[in-house]
């Protein structure tokens, strides 16, 4: 079903599943593509002020073969097309970081959400992080962040194999350090029992910045490192993003602690590890893991929320301090590079 005049309102009520997706111009389209595959029939409301974005989403819906034919989809250009007080089981906010706080405020003013999944980069200011936190608490909304690396099978394998302190090294080029750093710092936190005692060092970032693919935003290259303080020691993370000719998916991950080490190639999916047991006997392992795309993953996370009340994505609270500290490091770097927005406390990453 589609909303022909793009102005239809509808009442969404439990127990029928109800999903709200805000923003389908980029990554939001992949969230929508995935949600169409939900096992449970749902009312899916898609909101985007861009007529072209809604058109693309509609075309995807009409041509997608692997979808739940019992779900109903509504395409509208603004929240004004939703009846005040409408209830949604799950909201997905996939806008750019610059407007995300405003959108969350508007959504919670007119709708009632049980759960919300926020796309990252979360926000452009530290104040937005804190104000949205208060807002979510006020409206009793459980928020998750689409830092999916801590939810994938590879992460669960690593969690089973390694006990804290666990160290991580990420190496590659052109993979979007600013927009993707949260993935890996969240993964490191997950492997270290969600420690929040974290310091981040950006002194080895390459001076200056470059225009990002999306107009009006910037990207930074170089090395970003962090240190988690734990009751039984320290865990380190180092992420390296060069400017060479290497493809973004040609990344190598090394994870280690005192009992073992693994190396995983994102490009090939091949993981090789060596471990020492309590009797100092050595063993080696070889596994294959692929990184799921958002279009293959979101519906699984939404299904978890609908059936269990929680999902494997990190909670907003889990990554709150990490995201703020990353924002502060990027703001400091951009300010030193002469970026006027950063000097006013606005970090132009998304």
């Amino acid at each position: 079903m589609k909303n022909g005049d793009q102005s239809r309102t509808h009442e969404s009520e439990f127990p029928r599943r109800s999903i709200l997706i805000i923003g389908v111009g980029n990554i939001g389209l992949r969230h929508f593509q995935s949600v169409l595959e939900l096992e449970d029939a749902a009312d899916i409301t898609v909101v985007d002020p861009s007529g072209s974005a809604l058109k693309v989403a509609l075309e995807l819906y009409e041509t997608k073969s692997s979808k739940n034919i019992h779900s109903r989809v509504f395409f509208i250009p603004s929240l004004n097309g939703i009846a005040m007080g409408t209830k949604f089981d799950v909201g997905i906010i996939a806008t750019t970081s610059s407007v995300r706080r405003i959108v969350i405020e508007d959504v919670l003013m007119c709708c009632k959400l049980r759960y919300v999944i926020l796309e990252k980069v979360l926000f452009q200011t530290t104040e937005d992080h804190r104000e949205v936190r208060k807002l979510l608490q006020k409206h009793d909304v459980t928020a998750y962040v689409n830092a999916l690396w801590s939810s994938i099978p590879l992460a669960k394998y690593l969690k089973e194999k390694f006990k804290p302190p666990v160290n991580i090294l990420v190496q590659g080029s052109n993979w979007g350090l600013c927009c993707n750093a949260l993935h890996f710092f969240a993964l490191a936190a997950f492997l270290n029992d969600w420690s929040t005692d974290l310091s981040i060092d950006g002194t080895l970032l390459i001076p200056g910045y470059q225009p990002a693919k999306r107009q009006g935003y910037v990207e930074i290259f170089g090395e970003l490192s962090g240190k988690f303080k734990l009751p039984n020691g320290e865990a380190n993370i180092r992420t390296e993003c060069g400017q060479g000719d290497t493809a973004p998916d040609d990344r190598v991950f090394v994870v280690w602690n005192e009992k073992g080490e693994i190396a995983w190639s994102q490009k090939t999916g091949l993981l090789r590890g060596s471990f020492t047991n309590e009797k100092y006997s050595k063993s080696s392992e070889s596994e294959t893991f692929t990184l799921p795309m958002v279009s293959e993953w979101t519906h699984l996370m939404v299904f978890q929320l609908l059936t269990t009340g929680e999902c494997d994505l990190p909670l907003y609270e889990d990554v709150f301090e990490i995201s703020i500290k990353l924002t502060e490091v990027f703001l400091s770097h951009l300010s030193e590079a002469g970026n006027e927005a950063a000097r006013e406390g606005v970090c132009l990453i998304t």
Side-chain angles (χ1 to χ4, degrees):
M1 172 185 281
K2 69 174 182 177
N3 184 348
D5 62 5
Q6 295 192 335
S7 63
R8 176 176 178 174
T9 63
H10 67 282
E11 291 292 341
S12 169
E13 59 186 16
F14 307 126
R16 183 176 177 86
R17 304 308 191 182
S18 51
I19 314 296
L20 174 67
I21 302 176
I22 309 289
V24 287
N26 290 282
I27 194 69
L29 185 67
R30 302 308 161 203
H31 287 299
F32 173 58
Q33 181 179 358
S34 186
V35 168
L36 288 174
E37 298 190 25
L38 269 176
E39 289 186 27
D40 293 348
D43 286 342
I44 305 169
T45 300
V46 178
V47 183
D48 199 302
S50 168
S52 59
L54 289 178
K55 181 180 178 182
V56 171
L58 173 59
E59 291 172 351
L60 184 151
Y61 170 69
E62 291 179 333
T63 58
K64 185 174 175 60
S65 57
S66 57
K67 63 187 177 187
N68 189 325
I69 61 174
H70 301 292
S71 290
R72 302 182 298 184
V73 182
F74 306 87
F75 298 92
I76 56 177
S78 77
L79 292 170
N80 292 332
I82 300 176
M84 186 67 68
T86 296
K87 298 178 181 179
F88 292 97
D89 290 291
V90 180
I92 300 174
I93 312 297
T95 64
T96 58
S97 58
S98 61
V99 299
R100 187 165 293 122
R101 173 184 170 180
I102 296 172
V103 169
I104 293 171
E105 290 173 341
D106 290 346
V107 167
L108 295 182
M109 192 177 299
C110 74
C111 306
K112 296 180 180 179
L113 300 181
R114 287 182 174 177
Y115 311 102
V116 65
I117 297 173
L118 304 177
E119 191 52 66
K120 50 85 201 148
V121 173
L122 285 169
F123 306 103
Q124 293 188 337
T125 71
T126 57
E127 178 189 8
D128 283 357
H129 284 80
R130 296 187 175 94
E131 291 304 313
V132 168
R133 184 192 208 184
K134 295 176 185 176
L135 199 62
L136 294 169
Q137 293 171 345
K138 176 182 177 181
H139 290 269
D140 195 26
V141 179
T142 303
Y144 291 83
V145 177
N146 191 42
L148 60 79
W149 281 76
S150 56
S151 70
I152 61 178
L154 172 62
K156 294 181 178 181
Y157 169 88
L158 296 174
K159 186 70 171 176
E160 179 181 329
K161 291 293 182 180
F162 294 96
K163 302 302 180 185
V166 184
N167 308 290
I168 294 181
L169 169 65
V170 182
Q171 293 178 309
S173 297
N174 304 306
W175 51 263
L177 178 64
C178 290
C179 61
N180 289 307
L182 184 62
H183 276 307
F184 308 120
F185 277 80
L187 174 60
F190 168 70
L191 295 178
N192 288 287
D193 297 336
W194 290 114
S195 170
T196 57
D197 192 347
L198 168 67
S199 59
I200 301 178
D201 182 3
T203 56
L204 293 181
L205 293 170
I206 297 173
Y209 56 91
Q210 301 292 329
K213 292 181 180 179
R214 181 171 291 189
Q215 187 176 1
Y217 297 92
V218 302
E219 188 54 82
I220 300 170
F221 295 87
E223 180 181 316
L224 190 66
S225 60
K227 187 184 299 291
F228 291 89
K229 290 186 178 181
L230 308 170
N232 58 336
E234 293 181 343
N236 296 287
I237 174 173
R238 190 166 88 244
T239 59
E240 300 174 2
C241 183
Q243 296 176 277
D245 297 328
T246 308
D249 67 346
D250 196 8
R251 281 182 290 203
V252 176
F253 295 76
V254 181
V255 179
W256 73 97
N257 69 1
E258 61 180 7
K259 297 294 185 180
E261 176 178 317
I262 67 94
W264 177 69
S265 165
Q266 182 180 340
K267 187 174 184 178
T268 66
L270 183 62
L271 178 148
R272 297 188 185 279
S274 60
F275 302 92
T276 303
N277 64 22
E278 294 178 355
K279 297 181 180 181
Y280 300 100
S281 175
K282 294 185 179 294
S283 63
S284 60
E285 292 189 11
S286 179
E287 301 280 351
T288 300
F289 293 96
T290 58
L291 176 66
M293 295 183 290
V294 170
S295 59
E296 301 169 324
W297 200 245
T298 300
H299 72 287
L300 300 176
M301 300 298 97
V302 171
F303 183 74
Q304 285 183 350
L305 289 174
L306 295 176
T307 55
T308 71
E310 57 185 19
C311 77
D312 292 337
L313 292 174
L315 287 160
Y316 183 73
E317 280 299 310
D318 291 334
V319 300
F320 175 77
E321 291 292 344
I322 298 173
S323 184
I324 285 181
K325 289 175 180 178
L326 284 170
T327 301
E328 290 173 341
V329 169
F330 293 143
L331 279 172
S332 176
H333 178 85
L334 292 170
S335 295
E336 291 179 8
N339 184 273
E340 291 300 326
R343 288 177 173 175
E344 295 178 2
V346 178
C347 191
L348 297 179
I349 62 174
T350 193

